[in-house]
Amino acid sequence: MSTTNSIKQAAEAARNKTSEAMNATKQIADTAKADPIAAKNDFLHTPFMRAALPFINGGTAGMVATTVIQPIDMIKVRLQLAGEGARTGPKPTPISVTREILAQGKVMDLYTGLSAGLLRQAVYTTARLGFFDTFMKSLTVRAKEKGNQIGFKERAAAGLSAGGLAAMIGNPADLALIRMQSDGLKPAAQRKNYKSVIDALSSIAKSEGVGALWAGAAPTVVRAMALNFGQLAFFSEAKQRLKDTSMSARSQTLTASAVAGFFASFFSLPFDFVKTRLQKQQRAPDGSLPYKGMMDCFKKVARDEGLLRFYRGFSTYYVRIAPHAMVTLIVADYLGFITK
């Protein structure tokens, strides 16, 4: 009898809980209908969304910027791969490279590798800006507890750490992007003609092993750390310096983005150059590779092509980095504003 009563009590309690949950759900739905903006704000202020938003905003901003900048990135990669192993010879320019690409196909060839670029941003920029924002919030809280303000040193540390972590996660997509963009430089018989980033990743993994997806990881990580140091640390510092000026908020963001783009380009281009060379290389029939690693590539390029080769295409790189930084940071700033 007591067992029957216990079951009845449990069933009654379960019914009550279900009824309470349904009433609560109905109340939330009614509130959302009556005031959708308030409902949206309540959702955005849940602990999960507050932690996720920096990553979501960062990835969205990076993908928008990549869609705008992809043709310039394509030209930059072709410039870095031109004249490999030779100190002398014709010097390609952004205009000559663009003409060559257009002569071989269609205008849309400049968007070769866009799917890989978008995947890279979805992974790399999501992690990069998300980690940076998270680190900065943590450092700000710690500094306030000590009665201090965070300075350039803390911003630089946050930028370097965020860049390094994100680059390791995003290396496979970055490798696929370089392979897709450099495929057109090979003789027609040797081209892989990748259909998409998934096709490129699976093809590389099958033919060269899964480990090959992290080829060039060392310079990729160092490049990302250098780029983040230049971009995020200098952007944050420049915005702080411009805050008390008469410039409008939009002008401050644009100016800080341009400053950040220059320093990001200057610090990261040599590592970007080496990363491109390492990720493009494939084994010869005897199993050998042109470069054994990052330092070997630096040494061979400096010896065979000259030190200035590392800065070939600086103007194109800056035109790729600065607008990308500006679009990314402006979109991220705007998304941060509307979701705060």
Side-chain angles (χ1 to χ4, degrees):
M1 188 70 178
S2 61
T3 306
T4 306
N5 287 337
S6 297
I7 293 171
K8 282 182 179 177
Q9 287 170 1
E12 186 65 29
R15 270 198 300 271
N16 290 337
K17 290 284 184 189
T18 304
S19 178
E20 286 173 16
M22 288 181 70
N23 287 335
T25 305
K26 187 174 180 299
Q27 194 173 3
I28 291 168
D30 290 341
T31 304
K33 274 185 190 175
D35 193 349
I37 294 173
K40 182 200 79 168
N41 289 337
D42 286 344
F43 173 68
L44 290 176
H45 284 86
T46 59
F48 172 76
M49 284 306 296
R50 293 326 293 171
L53 273 173
F55 294 87
I56 296 169
N57 291 348
T60 304
M63 292 172 80
V64 171
T66 288
T67 304
V68 175
I69 303 301
Q70 182 67 16
I72 300 172
D73 190 62
M74 174 71 166
I75 294 163
K76 183 267 298 181
V77 168
R78 290 291 181 88
L79 277 170
Q80 290 177 332
L81 295 175
E84 186 173 0
R87 184 182 287 267
T88 58
K91 291 183 179 178
T93 65
I95 293 173
S96 68
V97 169
T98 305
R99 279 179 184 159
E100 186 181 343
I101 293 170
L102 295 177
Q104 290 175 353
K106 302 173 184 177
V107 174
M108 291 309 293
D109 285 356
L110 290 168
Y111 274 91
T112 299
L114 179 61
S115 60
L118 291 174
L119 176 63
R120 179 178 179 274
Q121 293 302 317
V123 177
Y124 170 67
T125 303
T126 296
R128 179 172 71 99
L129 294 184
F131 282 136
F132 181 75
D133 195 70
T134 304
F135 294 157
M136 284 294 288
K137 283 177 182 173
S138 177
L139 289 168
T140 302
V141 170
R142 193 181 302 174
K144 280 183 179 176
E145 286 172 355
K146 295 179 181 177
N148 300 325
Q149 284 190 330
I150 57 170
F152 183 75
K153 184 174 68 175
E154 288 79 14
R155 292 187 182 97
L160 288 166
S161 303
L165 285 168
M168 278 301 295
I169 298 168
N171 198 79
D174 200 37
L175 177 82
L177 175 62
I178 296 297
R179 291 290 182 89
M180 291 175 80
Q181 289 179 326
S182 64
D183 197 48
L185 291 172
K186 297 176 184 175
Q190 295 177 22
R191 291 177 191 170
K192 303 286 185 182
N193 296 316
Y194 302 114
K195 298 179 183 70
S196 67
V197 62
I198 303 299
D199 180 41
L201 289 169
S202 59
S203 174
I204 294 164
K206 281 179 188 173
S207 60
E208 302 172 46
V210 175
L213 295 174
W214 273 268
T220 300
V221 169
V222 178
R223 171 207 181 260
M225 293 173 76
L227 189 142
N228 263 32
F229 170 70
Q231 188 181 101
L232 298 180
F234 279 90
F235 176 74
S236 187
E237 183 71 14
K239 275 197 80 175
Q240 185 66 29
R241 297 290 180 94
L242 294 168
K243 193 165 66 174
D244 298 325
T245 65
S246 59
M247 295 171 71
S248 66
R250 183 176 294 179
S251 297
Q252 287 179 20
T253 301
L254 282 169
T255 305
S257 299
V259 171
F262 174 81
F263 283 104
S265 303
F266 179 78
F267 287 122
S268 66
L269 181 54
F271 301 106
D272 185 81
F273 181 93
V274 171
K275 172 189 78 70
T276 300
R277 288 285 178 94
L278 288 176
Q279 290 181 332
K280 174 257 181 184
Q281 68 175 352
Q282 289 179 282
R283 294 190 181 277
D286 62 359
S288 64
L289 287 168
Y291 309 109
K292 296 173 185 174
M294 181 171 71
M295 296 312 297
D296 184 52
C297 183
F298 266 114
K299 187 173 71 176
K300 284 181 177 174
V301 171
R303 183 192 66 204
D304 300 337
E305 303 173 46
L307 287 170
L308 289 178
R309 184 58 63 90
F310 292 112
Y311 278 95
R312 169 183 272 182
F314 179 81
S315 58
T316 306
Y317 188 61
Y318 177 72
V319 169
R320 181 244 183 264
I321 290 290
H324 194 283
M326 290 170 80
V327 174
T328 300
L329 295 169
I330 289 166
V331 173
D333 250 22
Y334 179 69
L335 290 173
F337 172 73
I338 63 173
T339 57
K340 71 180 177 182

